[in-house]
Amino acid sequence: MTQQRYRAWAASLLVAVLLMIVVMPAAVAEAPVPADVRAFGGGSPLVVPAAAFSSDGFDPASTFFYFLGGYMRGAATGPGCVQAPVYLPQPAKMADLYASVYDNDPAAGMAVTLWRVNNFTGTTDVLAQAATTGAFASTAIVVLVDYTIDFPNVSYPTSAYYLTTCIPNANLRLYSVRIYYETYEAFLPLVLRNFP
């Protein structure tokens, strides 16, 4: 009789162990991370492609996005001013602004500007700007940079962020803008205590 109880106990234990092996991985599996619903998701740097820019509304026909080249250029029919939203995480501190442009016009230049607007007062601030000069001309893509960003700490919902530039003719092109930033996350350690 004892041997039968022992076999029943051993069989039960074996079944329990097998169930744990089968069920535990499913129970320990991580929950799926929800997709980021903001545009331009991901970590630093935030890359804003030329395709994200659109006309400022003054002269919508004054810019042209070239599909095969991945850039926006001027159409020589107006100032070619465009703008794009900037979606940064919070908390974050912006560090540098880079812009990949093409400027083969010795008489005209272009500037890429990062702005913020206060959502409650309407006040705007220029945070960074990178520009070519009128005397500049190159047949290669150049990278403009501004290492000093004013008001670098991202502040939601107080502020919204955006980029602007003007591309007056076909000898000027915008490829992308990159904003490097640092995030700050604090984690409290798990404290274990023995209770009597």
Side-chain angles (χ1 to χ4, degrees):
M1 194 64 134
T2 306
Q3 201 171 27
Q4 284 180 336
R5 284 186 185 170
Y6 176 75
R7 285 183 186 166
W9 179 82
S12 298
L13 182 62
L14 182 60
V15 169
V17 169
L18 289 174
L19 282 174
M20 286 177 52
I21 290 171
V22 171
V23 173
M24 282 300 283
V28 177
E30 294 181 21
V33 177
D36 193 352
V37 295
R38 298 171 298 136
F40 319 126
S44 182
L46 171 70
V47 179
V48 182
F53 285 77
S54 62
S55 171
D56 69 346
F58 181 75
D59 187 356
S62 63
T63 55
F64 175 80
F65 183 79
Y66 185 58
F67 290 168
L68 298 178
Y71 60 81
M72 183 168 285
R73 67 168 173 79
T77 60
C81 294
V82 293
Q83 49 78 35
V86 172
Y87 300 106
L88 291 158
Q90 184 179 356
K93 181 178 181 181
M94 293 175 278
D96 308 309
L97 175 118
Y98 289 82
S100 291
V101 302
Y102 173 92
D103 181 349
N104 193 23
D105 188 336
M110 63 185 291
V112 176
T113 307
L114 174 64
W115 300 77
R116 76 172 180 181
V117 59
N118 185 301
N119 294 318
F120 303 103
T121 66
T123 304
T124 59
D125 297 297
V126 171
L127 306 183
Q129 187 174 68
T132 63
T133 62
F136 186 87
S138 174
T139 57
I141 295 173
V142 295
V143 177
L144 309 176
V145 63
D146 188 343
Y147 295 114
T148 56
I149 296 185
D150 294 329
F151 313 107
N153 294 320
V154 175
S155 176
Y156 294 134
T158 303
S159 298
Y161 300 86
Y162 59 99
L163 291 161
T164 62
T165 190
C166 293
I167 314 169
N169 62 56
N171 290 320
L172 299 164
R173 304 174 189 165
L174 172 68
Y175 284 86
S176 73
V177 179
R178 295 167 306 285
I179 300 170
Y180 286 80
Y181 61 88
E182 299 171 357
T183 57
Y184 299 95
E185 297 177 359
F187 297 97
L188 296 177
L190 177 64
V191 179
L192 299 176
R193 295 184 180 178
N194 292 326
F195 292 100

